[in-house]
Amino acid sequence: MRVLTLPDRYIKVFLRSIRPRITLLLTVLLALFIVPAYVRVEALTRQTQDDSAWRDVERQATLTAAAVRAGPARIPIRPDVPGVDLIQVVGPDHRVIMSTPTARGLAPLSDVWPSLLTPERDVQASTPQGRLYLSAVRLSSSLDSAVVYAARRAPDATSARRLWLLVLEAAVFITLAACITWRIADRLLSPVGCIRATLCSINSNNLSSRVPVPPGNDEIVRLAWTINGTLDRLEKANECSKLALTHLSRFTSDASHELRTPLAGLRVLLEEAQLHPCETELPQLLDEALSDVDRLQTIIGDLLLLSGLEAGIPANRDLIDLSQLVKEEVGQRMDLVPVLLRLETGTTVRACRIQMARVLTNLLDNAQRHAKHVVRVEVHRHDATAELTVSDDGVGISLADRERIFERFTRLDAARCRDQGGSGLGLAIARDIVLAHRGTLTAGCSPLGGARFVLRIPFSGSATRSPTDGCVGDQACEDPTVNSSMLSPAPCPVHHGPRSSPYGSTSSATR
C-alpha cells in the first residue's frame, strides 16, 4: 500500500470539502476558457496589426509613386502615412535616387523587383534595421522603370511585452475569480453547516428542534424543509411510540391481572379440594372450575381477535344486508329483556359477516346486561352511511366515560363484580372491527333513558326505503313489559362525582 506523503495528505484534506472542490473545478474551467481566449485575442490583435501595417505601406508606396509620376518630386521625400518612414525610389541600376530622411544613406531596402505583370508586390524583408513590412510599386511599364519602396518596422519588442502583460492579466483574473468563487461557495454552503450543527444536537430525547431555513427557494432551502418535515414525522412517531408503549404496558398489566384472577380462583378451588377431599362436592367443584376455564378461554380468544385486528389480517368482505343480519342474530338469541326492532330493508354494506355479527352480539350483550325493560335496535340509512343503533333503558353512561369504555379491560365501578363484568374487551373489539371497516362506533344517551351505541359504516348498493317496526322471536311486541310509555323519549342521565355508571364492556363487552 502506498504511503501518503505530507503534500498528499494536505491535498486529500483540502479536497474533502465541497467548497474547495467547487472552487478548484470552476477555476480550472475558467482557466481552460480564458487561456485560449487570450491566445485568440492576441492572435487577432497581431493579425489586425499586420493587416494595418500592410495597408499603410501599400498606401504610402502608391502615394509616393503617384507623386513621382506627377512631376518633380520633393527631395527629400516626406511620408504621408504615419508610421511609414522608410521610403526609397530605386532606379533600374539598383541605386537609390531619392529617399526619406530616415532611409538616407541606406542600401536599397529590398532586392525584390516588380515585373510588368505584377507591378505591386508586398514582402517581409530582414534588414539591419530589423524585420520590415515592405511594399514595392513599379513607376511605369517601361523596362527601365524605377521602383518605389515603402516600409515600416514590425513591432517585435512591443508584441513580446504585450504577451507578458496578457499572461499577467490572465493570472490576476483567474486568481480573482477563484477568490470570488470561494466566497460565493462559502456563502451558499454556510446554511449546510448550520443544518449539520443543528442535526448533531438532535437526539431521541429532544426531537422538537428544527433546522434553520435560509431565505429563498433553492435546493438547500428545500432540503431544510424536507429535513424539518422528516423531524416532524419522527417527533410524531416518537410520541405515538411512547403512547403505544404506555398503552401496551397498561394493557399487559391489565391482561396479567385479568388472567391471574380466574387462575387464582381455580387454584383456590383445587387446593381446597385437595385439603378437604371428603368435604368437597365434585359436581360443584367441576362447575366452578369450568366457569373459570370458560372465563380464561374468553379472555384469550378476545386477545387473539384484537391481535389479529391490530395486525391488519384481511377478512373476506361481502355485500350484506344489515337489517337481515340483525333479524337473524336476534332471532337466535334467548334474551331476558325483549328486543324491539326498527329496520329499514335494503341497507347493504360491504363487510365481513362474522365480524359484524360479533359487533352486534357484543352490543346486544352489553345492552341486555344493563337494560331494565327493553332494548331497541334500529337500522337505517343516513346520507352515504348505514347506521345501526343499539339502545337500552338502563342507567346510562356519564359524559366523561363515553370514550373510556372503549378502552381495553375498562370496567366502570358498578361492572366490576364478577357476575356483572365480562372480559373487559367486548366494546374494544367492537370498535376495532368497525374501524377496520372504515366506520365509527360512538356511545351516547338513548331516548329510552339509558345508553345508545351508534355504528356507522359506508353504505354500499341500492336501498329500498321500507322501514318496519317489530320484534323477533321470543321478544314479541305484545310482551306486556313493552308499552308505549317505555318508547317515549326520556332524559339522558349524566352522572358526575362519586356516582359512576355501570358501563364498561360486556362478556365479551362489559360496561
Side-chain angles (χ1 to χ4, degrees):
M1 183 177 64
R2 188 173 68 90
V3 179
L4 294 178
T5 61
L6 190 59
D8 293 335
R9 292 194 183 95
Y10 284 154
I11 292 174
K12 283 188 173 293
V13 172
F14 178 76
L15 296 180
R16 187 178 299 170
S17 175
I18 296 178
R19 188 183 301 109
R21 282 187 282 177
I22 292 177
T23 303
L24 180 61
L25 176 62
L26 292 181
T27 303
V28 171
L29 292 177
L30 189 62
L32 292 176
F33 172 77
I34 287 180
V35 171
Y38 269 83
V39 172
R40 180 64 176 170
V41 168
E42 176 62 18
L44 290 175
T45 303
R46 291 291 299 273
Q47 183 66 36
T48 302
Q49 290 178 347
D50 290 346
D51 294 342
S52 178
W54 286 118
R55 285 193 299 270
D56 290 344
V57 295
E58 289 174 357
R59 183 185 175 196
Q60 183 63 58
T62 302
L63 291 175
T64 301
V68 172
R69 293 191 196 102
R74 295 172 297 174
I75 302 175
I77 301 173
R78 301 296 180 184
D80 298 316
V81 179
V84 183
D85 55 354
L86 296 175
I87 304 173
Q88 291 179 338
V89 179
V90 181
D93 55 356
H94 294 280
R95 286 186 302 170
V96 178
I97 300 174
M98 60 185 71
S99 66
T100 58
T102 307
R104 183 178 300 167
L106 298 179
L109 296 176
S110 176
D111 57 357
V112 174
W113 202 263
S115 63
L116 293 175
L117 298 178
T118 55
E120 296 182 9
R121 291 186 62 181
D122 297 332
V123 295
Q124 288 190 19
S126 296
T127 65
Q129 289 75 30
R131 191 166 62 91
L132 302 177
Y133 294 144
L134 185 142
S135 178
V137 177
R138 191 180 181 90
L139 289 177
S140 67
S141 58
S142 61
L143 296 178
D144 56 351
S145 174
V147 175
V148 175
Y149 293 119
R152 64 174 297 174
R153 294 177 180 84
D156 293 333
T158 304
S159 296
R161 193 179 305 112
R162 176 176 174 79
L163 179 61
W164 282 109
L165 289 176
L166 288 176
V167 171
L168 180 61
E169 182 181 352
V172 171
F173 186 77
I174 292 174
T175 304
L176 181 62
C179 294
I180 295 175
T181 303
W182 180 275
R183 293 295 301 272
I184 294 176
D186 182 69
R187 187 179 183 85
L188 291 177
L189 294 176
S190 59
V192 177
C194 297
I195 292 174
R196 182 185 62 83
T198 304
L199 286 176
C200 290
S201 64
I202 296 176
N203 52 46
S204 59
N205 297 325
N206 179 25
L207 291 176
S208 60
S209 299
R210 296 296 179 266
V211 300
V213 179
N217 192 26
D218 54 16
E219 288 78 3
I220 296 179
V221 175
R222 291 194 289 271
L223 174 63
W225 288 343
T226 303
I227 292 174
N228 285 338
T230 303
L231 291 175
D232 289 338
R233 293 191 295 272
L234 287 176
E235 185 178 13
K236 293 178 181 178
N238 186 52
E239 292 175 356
C240 292
S241 298
K242 291 180 178 179
L243 184 62
L245 288 175
T246 302
H247 288 170
L248 179 61
S249 176
R250 188 175 64 181
F251 175 75
T252 304
S253 176
D254 292 341
S256 301
H257 174 73
E258 294 294 332
L259 291 174
R260 185 170 60 247
T261 300
L263 285 175
L266 182 60
R267 183 179 183 86
V268 168
L269 288 175
L270 296 177
E271 288 180 349
E272 185 178 358
Q274 185 180 27
L275 291 175
H276 308 285
C278 297
E279 300 176 4
T280 302
E281 295 183 6
L282 184 59
Q284 181 181 359
L285 173 64
L286 293 178
D287 289 341
E288 293 179 355
L290 287 175
S291 176
D292 288 332
V293 171
D294 289 341
R295 183 175 175 81
L296 283 172
Q297 186 176 1
T298 300
I299 294 175
I300 293 173
D302 290 346
L303 290 175
L304 290 176
L305 177 57
L306 283 173
S307 177
L309 291 174
E310 288 182 345
I313 299 176
N316 294 328
R317 298 184 182 183
D318 302 311
L319 287 176
I320 61 174
D321 190 331
L322 279 183
S323 300
Q324 186 64 29
L325 176 67
V326 170
K327 288 181 181 179
E328 294 176 359
E329 292 298 323
V330 173
Q332 296 174 3
R333 297 172 63 89
M334 301 293 292
D335 293 322
L336 296 177
V337 179
V339 179
L340 179 65
L341 301 182
R342 290 183 177 178
L343 308 177
E344 180 179 329
T345 60
T347 308
T348 57
V349 296
R350 183 170 294 278
C352 175
R353 183 181 182 86
I354 296 176
Q355 292 184 355
M356 295 306 297
R358 178 63 183 272
V359 172
L360 179 61
T361 299
N362 289 359
L363 295 178
L364 287 174
D365 288 345
N366 192 70
Q368 287 288 331
R369 187 177 300 276
H370 301 284
K372 296 178 180 178
H373 303 289
V374 67
V375 173
R376 186 167 69 191
V377 180
E378 301 175 69
V379 175
H380 61 274
R381 288 185 58 182
H382 184 272
D383 295 332
T385 61
E387 186 174 283
L388 183 151
T389 62
V390 178
S391 307
D392 63 66
D393 59 350
V395 180
I397 309 172
S398 65
L399 186 62
D401 295 328
R402 289 178 185 175
E403 280 298 319
R404 193 164 69 91
I405 59 174
F406 291 105
E407 297 178 2
R408 300 171 184 179
F409 296 112
T410 297
R411 292 194 191 88
L412 304 185
D413 294 342
R416 290 191 178 274
C417 60
R418 184 164 178 168
D419 60 339
Q420 291 291 329
S423 67
L425 295 172
L427 293 180
I429 291 174
R431 171 168 276 190
D432 284 355
I433 291 175
V434 174
L435 291 177
H437 286 76
R438 296 181 299 139
T440 60
L441 178 61
T442 57
C445 61
S446 168
L448 302 178
R452 181 172 184 258
F453 289 89
V454 180
L455 181 155
R456 291 187 178 92
I457 190 170
F459 179 78
S460 178
S462 60
T464 304
R465 293 180 177 270
S466 57
T468 59
D469 293 351
C471 298
V472 176
D474 295 329
Q475 295 78 23
C477 289
E478 292 77 10
D479 192 299
T481 59
V482 181
N483 54 49
S484 59
S485 63
M486 294 178 188
L487 301 180
S488 61
C492 178
V494 178
H495 306 295
H496 301 281
R499 183 182 177 185
S500 301
S501 169
Y503 289 92
S505 46
T506 66
S507 75
S508 290
T510 300
R511 283 189 255 164

